[in-house]
Amino acid sequence: MNAFTKLAVVFLFVGAVLLAGPVFGFSSLAANRGADVSVGGSDALIGVDATHLTLDGPGDEATVSIENNAGRRLSLEAEDTTGPDLQVDGRLSGTLAAGESLQATVSCNGGGTSGTESGIITVTEAISDDGSITVREATLPVTVDYECTGGKPGTPPGQPSDDDTVIEPGGKSNDEIDSDGTVWIGDSGKANDEVKAGGDVSIGTGGKTNDEVEAGGDIVTGDDYTANGELSAGGDISTGTNAKINDEVEAGGDVSIGDSGKTNGEVTAGGSISTGDGYTANGELTATEDITVGSGSKIHDDISAGGDIHIGSGSKIDGELDAGGDVYVGDSVTFNDDVTAEGTLYVGCDVRLNGDLSAGSVIDEC
């Protein structure tokens, strides 16, 4: 039983990202830094990788990364400050090491309007561990041009084409669906047989599938989705909050599970796996890249990542953990089996390890 020091962990709908391109940003500073830093300057304390985004239709989305350029670790809290036409998804709070970032996704919010909007994300507070840097109520310099018109009422955002298959909101299909295009299942829609799509599968809030779902592209669901068969996608798989998946999940790209989600089979990603808070896994988690597990989660099987693993505070891991990179652990996490990190293990306060530990190095930051 070991007590370690604190490392806050970054929890994203998509995970922590290291930026490679130009960065723009702002600073609203109360600290010993010496001087404020101009908006968009190369020395901005908190930056973004793009200042102008475009949404070309109701099914389109754009991403923006928020980077810590302060040269030291920051605990950051941000919020969605869009108007009624747009929405920002992704984890907008966490602790970022120097150079680390959060990724947010901007999309239409179901409306049928178009226009331009600025000030879509506001950093409510960002404070360095040593207290020398404080940023409060600072709006990121991001503008979005959007065209949110079109779409089929009650279905997920987008415009079905002639090659697509649509289950209307509240409707159901008892036959196998095999579409060359996209399969759309509206809010509270139900598919009782196999669903196959050459393109994407898009499922609205409260949707339910009772057999295998296979997509050549992505699978995207709203909140309160239930799957009673395997989910398989050549691209990404992402769910809203309170999703329950009672079979295996396999994606060629990333897998993202919303808050309070539950998976009862193995989850495998050719990219990364990220989960929201309060997630429960009753099968193995395996990712070629990184794995991020939200706070208060329960993982009852093994976790294996080719890259880094981030474990949120208050989580419990019953299986073995194996990371090809670093492992970041929040406060009050319990491990009931072995922990292996090829890189560095960063641990928070009151962490309990009831198995063997193997790591390149251990950093105590409580």
Side-chain angles (χ1 to χ4, degrees), residues 324-342:
D326 299 330
V327 176
Y328 301 85
V329 182
D331 297 341
S332 303
V333 172
T334 299
F335 294 97
N336 288 322
D337 210 321
D338 300 341
V339 174
T340 302
E342 294 294 326

Side-chain angles (χ1 to χ4, degrees), residues 8 20 26 33 100 106 132 136 139 141 171 187 211 239 312 362:
F26 63 85
R33 175 120 174 184
E100 206 167 28
V106 184
S132 64
R136 288 192 176 96
T139 300
D187 295 345
D211 208 322
T239 77
V362 177

